[in-house]
């Protein structure tokens, strides 16, 4: 009785084939459940002990993308033992291709999103987060478009005409909006390369100011005079930009001149005097002080030191302290600063009548 029952056919398959398909599917479900419990359970305990966020992302993404794919693989394995008609086999292959592409692209997009956010959002920045979200949407559109074309091609749809039309349309749009696209690509260059950020003080050619806004077409500075300076992003990427906000220390060089009648003993004291003044000020690193040359109307001393900060106000405060201290010491020692002077020698001529 049982052999006859098992040999009963329905839709070109025996009852035993259906039982085998169900058995394989249920076995796959059981194996997946055991795998989830063991692997994800132990992995979850392990990632809690690490400081990195990458393992947390990887575990979460695998749970979201891999497990549904394994469930479909168990279902596919069950159907694989059945004799399906051509339409059923095609539907199964199509569904398999669609699901495989969907979860593969989804995993790659998750990885791309995590990588970009980890690199560009190291500090909380709402504007940067909004821009990155727009950029990720663009990546998703391109990725899903490519995935769709690959699927259509595998399903026998001729996409050469579609690709040709898209190519011609893309060239026409790019030609018509080349200035806008140039600024847009320059914006992404600024976004990814980060030569400057909001609140950085930069100098571009003869213009200088604090960055107020970085847009997809223009970047705006607030100058020292108060007016707003607007640059196209292409102008900025094609220019040399000096970013003073990222200056770690400032090198300062200045000269002072004393009169030619200053005694040699005092000339020897001046470098030591200036060295002591600068070394006594916190936030500086002394480099050198030398009697450097004979000037047109003064004996010139050159001084070089570093301010251990890029802050301009701090530099100005330190330079003021140095100048006042030099003036005080020179006054106390009777050393005179040189002023622009000229000596005229006049010769009298005797005229005999």
């Amino acid at each position: 009785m049982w052999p006859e029952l098992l040999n009963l056919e329905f839709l070109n398959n025996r009852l035993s084939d259906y039982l085998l398909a169900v058995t394989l599917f249920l076995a796959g479900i059981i194996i997946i459940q055991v795998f989830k419990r063991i692997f994800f359970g132990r992995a979850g305990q392990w990632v809690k002990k690490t400081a990195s966020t990458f393992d947390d992302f990887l575990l979460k993404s695998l749970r979201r993308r891999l497990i549904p794919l394994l469930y479909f693989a168990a279902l596919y394995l069950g159907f694989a033992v059945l004799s399906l008609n051509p339409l059923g086999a095609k539907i199964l292959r199509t569904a398999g291709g669609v699901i495989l592409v969907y979860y593969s692209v989804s995993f790659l997009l998750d990885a791309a999103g995590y990588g970009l956010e980890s690199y560009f959002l190291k500090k909380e920045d709402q504007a940067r987060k909004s821009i990155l979200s727009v950029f990720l949407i663009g990546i998703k559109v391109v990725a899903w478009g490519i995935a769709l074309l690959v699927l259509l091609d595998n399903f026998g749809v001729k996409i050469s005409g579609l690709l040709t039309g898209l190519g011609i349309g893309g060239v026409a749009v790019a030609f018509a909006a080349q200035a806008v696209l140039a600024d847009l690509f320059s914006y992404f260059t600024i976004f990814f390369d980060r030569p400057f950020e909001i609140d950085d003080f930069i100098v571009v050619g003869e213009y200088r100011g604090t960055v107020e806004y970085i847009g997809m077409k223009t970047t705006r500075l607030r100058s020292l005079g108060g007016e707003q300076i607007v640059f196209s992003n292409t102008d900025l990427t094609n220019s040399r930009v000096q970013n003073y906000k990222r200056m770690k220390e400032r090198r300062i060089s200045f000269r002072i001149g004393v009169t030619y009648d200053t005694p040699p003993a005092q000339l020897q004291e001046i470098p030591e005097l200036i060295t002591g003044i600068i070394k006594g000020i916190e936030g500086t690193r002394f480099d050198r002080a030398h009697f450097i040359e004979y000037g047109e109307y003064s004996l010139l001393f050159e001084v070089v030191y570093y301010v251990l900060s890029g802050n301009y106000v701090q530099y100005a405060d330190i330079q003021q302290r140095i100048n006042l201290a030099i003036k005080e010491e020179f006054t106390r020692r009777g050393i005179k600063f040189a002023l622009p002077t000229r000596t005229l020698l006049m010769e009298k001529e005797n005229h005999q009548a």
Side-chain angles (χ1 to χ4, degrees), residues 103-121:
Y103 283 108
S104 299
V105 173
S106 296
F107 178 77
L108 292 176
L109 289 176
D110 288 344
Y114 171 81
L116 291 172
E117 288 179 0
S118 299
Y119 183 75
F120 292 106
L121 297 180

Side-chain angles (χ1 to χ4, degrees), residues 23-303:
T23 302
L24 290 175
F25 175 68
L26 293 177
I29 296 296
I30 293 172
I31 292 172
I32 293 170
Q33 290 297 325
V34 173
F35 172 76
K36 283 177 58 178
R37 187 176 297 274
I38 295 176
F39 175 78
F40 286 104
R42 293 183 178 179
Q45 295 177 357
W46 177 71
V47 298
K48 290 180 181 179
K49 300 177 183 178
T50 63
S52 172
T53 60
F54 175 74
D55 45 14
D56 298 270
F57 154 76
L58 186 61
L59 188 64
K60 181 181 178 181
S61 186
L62 287 176
R63 190 189 297 272
R64 292 177 56 199
R65 309 302 182 188
L66 180 62
I67 297 303
L69 192 60
L70 291 178
Y71 281 129
F72 177 78
L75 181 64
Y76 188 91
L77 183 63
F79 276 106
V81 301
L82 299 176
S83 297
L84 301 176
N85 58 40
L87 179 60
K90 185 176 182 180
I91 292 174
L92 184 62
R93 288 196 303 271
T94 302
V98 170
I99 291 176
L100 180 61
V101 169
Y102 172 78
Y103 283 108
S104 299
V105 173
S106 296
F107 178 77
L108 292 176
L109 289 176
D110 288 344
Y114 171 81
L116 291 172
E117 288 179 0
S118 299
Y119 183 75
F120 292 106
L121 297 180
K122 293 180 180 179
K123 60 181 181 179
E124 191 66 25
D125 188 337
Q126 192 60 40
R128 185 176 289 272
K129 185 180 294 185
S130 301
I131 294 167
L132 185 58
S133 64
V134 174
F135 185 72
L136 287 175
I137 290 174
I139 292 178
K140 290 178 181 179
V141 170
V142 173
W144 287 118
I146 294 174
L148 179 60
L149 292 176
V150 170
L151 284 174
L152 292 175
D153 186 56
N154 287 332
F155 294 157
V157 178
K158 294 183 179 180
I159 60 173
S160 57
L162 177 62
L163 291 177
T164 302
L166 290 175
I168 295 174
V171 171
V173 171
F175 182 78
Q178 55 183 335
V180 176
L181 291 176
D183 286 329
L184 181 61
F185 285 119
S186 296
Y187 165 74
F188 285 121
T189 299
I190 294 171
F191 178 79
F192 286 112
D193 195 43
R194 293 187 291 182
F196 52 82
E197 297 178 347
I198 301 295
D199 293 331
D200 284 4
F201 185 85
I202 65 173
V203 175
V204 184
E206 60 182 6
Y207 301 101
R208 59 183 62 208
T210 303
V211 179
E212 280 192 337
Y213 172 79
I214 303 174
M216 291 191 176
K217 181 167 175 57
T218 63
T219 295
R220 301 165 195 174
L221 311 184
R222 182 66 62 183
S223 74
L224 295 175
E227 71 273 17
Q228 188 179 71
I229 306 173
V230 181
F231 292 94
S232 70
N233 290 329
T234 303
D235 288 342
L236 286 176
T237 54
N238 291 334
S239 303
R240 290 181 175 85
V241 178
Q242 295 175 271
N243 192 333
Y244 283 87
K245 182 71 174 290
R246 297 181 183 177
M247 182 189 295
K248 295 182 179 179
E249 59 181 24
R250 186 185 296 265
R251 183 181 184 272
I252 308 300
S253 174
F254 67 93
R255 289 185 173 191
I256 57 175
V258 298
T259 58
Y260 267 90
D261 59 0
T262 304
Q266 287 187 323
L267 293 177
Q268 292 179 357
E269 292 177 359
I270 291 175
E272 298 177 0
L273 170 66
I274 296 175
T275 300
I277 290 173
I278 295 176
K279 286 185 176 181
I281 298 176
E282 187 178 355
T284 64
R285 186 177 77 250
F286 177 77
D287 186 14
R288 61 182 177 83
H290 292 98
F291 175 21
I292 200 70
E293 68 176 86
Y294 293 93
E296 184 178 357
Y297 54 84
S298 63
L299 304 174
L300 292 174
F301 289 80
E302 185 174 70
V303 182

